[in-house]
Every structure is written in C-alpha cells, then in structure tokens.
Amino acid sequence: MADKLKDTGAISFLEAAVKISHTSPDIPAEVQMSMKDHIMRRTRIQRQTTEPASSTRHISFKRHLPRQMHVSSMDYGLEPPAVAEQPTSIGRIKPELYKQKTVDTEDPKKEAEKTCGKINFTLKYDYENETLTVRILRAFDLPAKDFCGSSDPYVKIYLLPDRKRKFQTRVHRKTLNPTFDESFHFPVPHEELASRKLHLSVFDFDRFSRHDMIGEVILENLFEDSDLSRETSIWRDIQYATTESVDLGEIMFSLCYLPTAGRLTLTVIKCRNLKAMDITGYSDPYVKVSLLCDGRRLKKKKTTIKKNTLNPTYNEAIIFDIPPENMDQVSLLISVMDYDRVGHNEIIGVCRVGVNAEGLGRDHWNEMLAYPRKPIAHWHPLVEVKKSFKEWHGRAASFDSQGSCPSPKPPPTP
C-alpha cells in the first residue's frame, strides 16, 4: 500500500506539474530544481495520502481553474477576432455618416429656394384724396447674403403696371430682421385699384458691386384682405427671385374652331397694361400670330398697328385652315410687338395656346375643342420670349424623339 501511495503521489505530482506548465512559463524552471526540493514535495504529497486521489485531482483543477479562466479571457481579448471587429464597425458607420452629410448639405439649398423670409406691411386708401398709402413695417428671417452671415436689406415698392413711380426704404445694416416703419403714397383713382398690383422687391445692399436680390412679393388683389378703408396689416412670404419680374401686360383673344370646314379663327380683342417700350412712356403695339408644328413656323399673320397706347383695342380676326386630324399637332404663338419706324421691331411679350402648352394656354385650347363653333375668350398674361422659347424647344425635341407632329396636310380625297 505504501508503494501504491508513493506511485499515486508521483503520478499526481507529474499531472499537476504538466497542468501548471501549460499555464505558467515559470514551471519549466521549477521542474529542473534540485533533488532536495523534489524530496520535500514528495513528503508533502505523502502526508496528504489520507484523501482519495480523485479529490486531489479535483482540488488541483479547482485551484488552477480561476487562473486558467483569467488567462484565457485575457488571451481571447488579445486574439485577432476582437481586433477584426473594429474595422467592421467603422466600415459600417462611415458610409452612414457620409450619407448624412450629403442630406444635410442639400436640404438647406432646397429650403433657401423655397422660402426667403416674411415681410409685414399695411395698406390704406384715402377716398377723399384718392391716395393709396403703403406702409412697410418689418421683415423677418431674411437669408444671409454677406460673408459675415448677415445682410443689408432694403425694399423697393411699385404699384404695377406703372414702373415710373417707385419708392425705396432706407438700408438697414447687418440684420436679418429689419424694422423699416416707413410710409409711401401712390396717387391712384379708386376705379383703377382693381387693376393695380403691389410689387415689393427686397434687396441686399452692396457698396462695391451690384445689389443682390433676396426675393419679391406681388399682391395681385389689393382688396384681398379688406376694402382699404382702414389700415390693414398683411404678412406675406417673400418668394425667391434673382431678378425683378416685369409685368409685361395681358392680351384677350377668342378661339373658335369649325370641324366641318377645318377652320380655326383667332380673334384679337384687346390688350391692357402693356410695357412701355418708347421714351415717351408708350408703345406702338401690334399682334403677330404664328402657326407652329414641330418647332417650325408654318404660317404667320398680324393685326394693324395702334399708335401711342398701352391699352390697344383691335377686334380683328385671324384665320388658319387646319384639318381636324392635325389639331392635336399644332399650336399658336401670339406675340405682342412694338413697332419702330427706325430700327427693328421689339417683342413686348408672348403667350402660347395648344395641346402641348401649359396652364391657361392648354385649358383654353381644350375648351375650344370641347365646344366647337363657339368663340371662347380669355385673358392671357404675357411672358418673356426667352423663357417661352426654352419651353417650346424642349417640347419640340420630345416630339422629334417620338417621330410625331407631321406638317398639316389636307384631308385625302375619297
């Protein structure tokens, strides 16, 4: 039994030494100790022979378990998988940050195009003196136009269509919320108020270069909020604009189509509030009507010239022969011209009607087709020719890509 205990003690000693050697680098040096140290370890193990060998192994395992777990946890923390998680998380976050930056940089631009702050003003009409008083009170939340993050705003005031008489407020330095509190008086008869428009243009003053336009407000109906007998406070959003919009005037004409005869009649009735083109403050207007297809002008006709007036009356009919099958392929370009005896004639403004026109021009054309043999009359606002030609050329290109819109041809004979 003593020999078995000795052998058992030796085996347990060797097993403990092997286990410890895997976890501690100092054990190999202890294994090569002197014989005296080995004998002392043997005698210590022999004194513990009263306990079973299995319990000795369990105690030695439990004794080294915390150390092994601690070392292993540290080893796992230093292994490559933990390091590999860092680039993965960074790679997953960076694209989101970049996307967020693009959204943040685009949104303010879109907002700046839509809103340019607000302006507060009042209107009051003096019936005895026939004078409209416009009082500019304040502006709020204007966009910054200067590098310092501020602006030097002022306001121009017009009572359209008259642009000869205009007023301007004082310039307020380095502020986005200026308080003007200035009043301006426009002499105007009461019967003309219904046809007048209030135009406010907000600018940023620049001493060394051209003044930057912040935006504009156009009040189409002066009686929109009250009868003007009392001073009425009005708030309006300032609409984004880069240049002052010019009121070119309006033209009234009627359209009538006879399907059986294939005849389109455009009757030019009158114009009002045309832009003055001469130094005298008037114009010599006439109307030119062009039949268009696929961006090409097929025919043109014009009215007589009315001298020295901004509100001419014509009542002249212009007739085109168009087969019914070609009505959805043509359009009419109406140009109001200013006749000049010396030099070339100038375009005051244009409008267009047809299936491919926009807004009122398309609606007027469709109403004519819906009610044949009946004259349909409407007022049309005049627009600048540059804007209109861009729209027409774009639409003509779309027709070319589809291979449609041939030139109108007479109906085939049976």
Side-chain angles (χ1 to χ4, degrees):
M1 291 296 294
D3 294 335
K4 290 181 180 180
L5 289 174
K6 290 179 181 179
D7 295 337
T8 303
I11 292 173
S12 62
F13 168 76
L14 292 175
E15 288 178 355
V18 171
K19 289 181 180 179
I20 297 174
S21 65
H22 285 297
T23 58
S24 177
D26 298 333
I27 297 302
E30 293 179 0
V31 175
Q32 297 176 4
M33 294 175 64
S34 61
M35 291 300 298
K36 182 178 180 179
D37 294 335
H38 285 287
I39 294 173
M40 291 179 64
R41 288 178 179 271
R42 283 174 174 271
T43 54
R44 189 183 307 126
I45 293 173
Q46 289 177 358
R47 292 177 183 176
Q48 299 175 357
T49 54
T50 55
E51 297 180 359
S54 60
S55 62
T56 304
R57 288 195 298 269
H58 290 166
I59 292 173
S60 62
F61 177 78
K62 291 179 181 180
R63 184 186 303 121
H64 297 288
L65 181 61
R67 184 177 181 184
Q68 291 175 357
M69 292 295 292
H70 178 68
V71 173
S72 63
S73 64
M74 291 178 63
D75 293 339
Y76 282 126
L78 298 175
E79 283 181 356
V83 180
E85 290 180 1
Q86 186 174 0
T88 304
S89 62
I90 294 176
R92 188 170 58 251
I93 293 175
K94 281 185 177 180
E96 296 176 1
L97 293 177
Y98 295 150
K99 290 180 181 179
Q100 185 68 26
K101 288 181 180 179
T102 57
V103 172
D104 293 342
T105 53
E106 288 176 0
D107 285 347
K109 292 182 180 179
K110 294 180 180 179
E111 292 298 326
E113 293 177 359
K114 293 179 181 180
T115 176
C116 297
K118 295 179 178 292
I119 189 169
N120 181 212
F121 57 94
T122 65
L123 297 177
K124 185 181 178 181
Y125 185 72
D126 186 352
Y127 287 87
E128 294 182 1
N129 300 320
E130 292 190 332
T131 302
L132 178 67
T133 301
V134 181
R135 184 182 177 190
I136 308 298
L137 296 177
R138 64 184 66 85
F140 176 73
D141 198 20
L142 298 179
K145 292 290 185 177
D146 299 337
F147 290 107
C148 61
S150 186
S151 294
D152 303 322
Y154 67 93
V155 182
K156 288 183 180 179
I157 305 99
Y158 300 92
L159 193 61
L160 301 178
D162 182 15
R163 285 190 172 270
K164 295 180 182 179
R165 181 184 295 272
K166 71 174 181 179
F167 296 99
Q168 178 178 318
T169 66
R170 295 189 299 271
V171 177
H172 289 251
R173 300 286 184 179
K174 296 182 180 179
T175 178
L176 301 180
N177 302 284
T179 299
F180 299 101
D181 197 12
E182 298 182 47
S183 298
F184 308 95
H185 306 282
F186 292 91
V188 54
H190 182 265
E191 57 270 15
E192 294 184 9
L193 287 176
S195 61
R196 294 298 189 97
K197 302 176 184 179
L198 181 65
H199 186 192
L200 307 178
S201 300
V202 185
F203 284 86
D204 171 54
F205 175 82
D206 197 330
R207 180 178 297 177
F208 303 104
S209 64
R210 183 175 141 186
H211 300 177
D212 297 325
M213 188 171 184
I214 296 176
E216 65 181 4
V217 172
I218 299 178
L219 188 63
E220 300 282 347
N221 184 10
L222 298 178
F223 297 97
E224 181 177 348
D225 296 315
S226 72
D227 60 354
L228 303 181
S229 60
R230 298 180 180 179
E231 189 174 22
T232 304
S233 179
I234 301 173
W235 280 95
R236 285 292 184 272
D237 291 330
I238 301 175
Q239 302 299 322
Y240 174 80
T242 55
T243 57
E244 282 189 290
S245 60
V246 179
D247 189 8
L248 303 177
E250 296 175 289
I251 181 172
M252 174 186 277
F253 58 86
S254 66
L255 295 174
C256 181
Y257 185 67
L258 300 177
T260 55
R263 179 175 297 175
L264 173 63
T265 302
L266 184 148
T267 302
V268 180
I269 301 174
K270 59 183 176 180
C271 299
R272 66 184 180 189
N273 301 329
L274 295 180
K275 179 184 177 183
M277 304 296 289
D278 301 336
I279 59 175
T280 59
Y282 294 98
S283 297
D284 302 323
Y286 68 94
V287 180
K288 181 175 67 175
V289 182
S290 302
L291 177 64
L292 302 177
C293 180
D294 194 16
R296 299 190 305 268
R297 185 174 65 188
L298 303 180
K299 294 181 180 180
K300 69 174 181 178
K301 298 182 179 182
K302 53 188 176 181
T303 67
T304 58
I305 301 171
K306 303 297 180 180
K307 295 287 187 176
N308 296 327
T309 179
L310 300 179
N311 300 280
T313 300
Y314 298 97
N315 291 321
E316 300 181 27
I318 296 176
I319 300 174
F320 296 100
D321 293 325
I322 306 174
E325 62 268 17
N326 295 121
M327 284 298 292
D328 59 345
Q329 300 169 351
V330 298
S331 61
L332 296 178
L333 172 63
I334 298 95
S335 305
V336 180
M337 311 287 295
D338 174 52
Y339 172 78
D340 196 342
R341 182 175 299 178
V342 180
H344 63 280
N345 301 338
E346 296 180 301
I347 299 177
I348 299 176
V350 299
C351 67
R352 183 192 181 209
V353 292
V355 175
N356 302 305
E358 291 186 351
L360 182 58
R362 181 184 62 249
D363 298 338
H364 194 176
W365 186 269
N366 292 334
E367 188 178 358
M368 173 199 67
L369 296 178
Y371 298 96
R373 296 177 296 276
K374 180 181 178 182
I376 307 296
H378 284 294
W379 281 103
H380 290 258
L382 299 176
V383 298
E384 294 181 358
V385 64
K386 293 181 180 179
K387 179 180 179 181
S388 302
F389 275 129
K390 287 181 181 179
E391 172 192 341
W392 298 328
H393 285 310
R395 294 198 178 262
S398 66
F399 293 142
D400 290 339
S401 63
Q402 297 174 3
S404 62
C405 193
S407 300
K409 298 178 181 179
T413 57

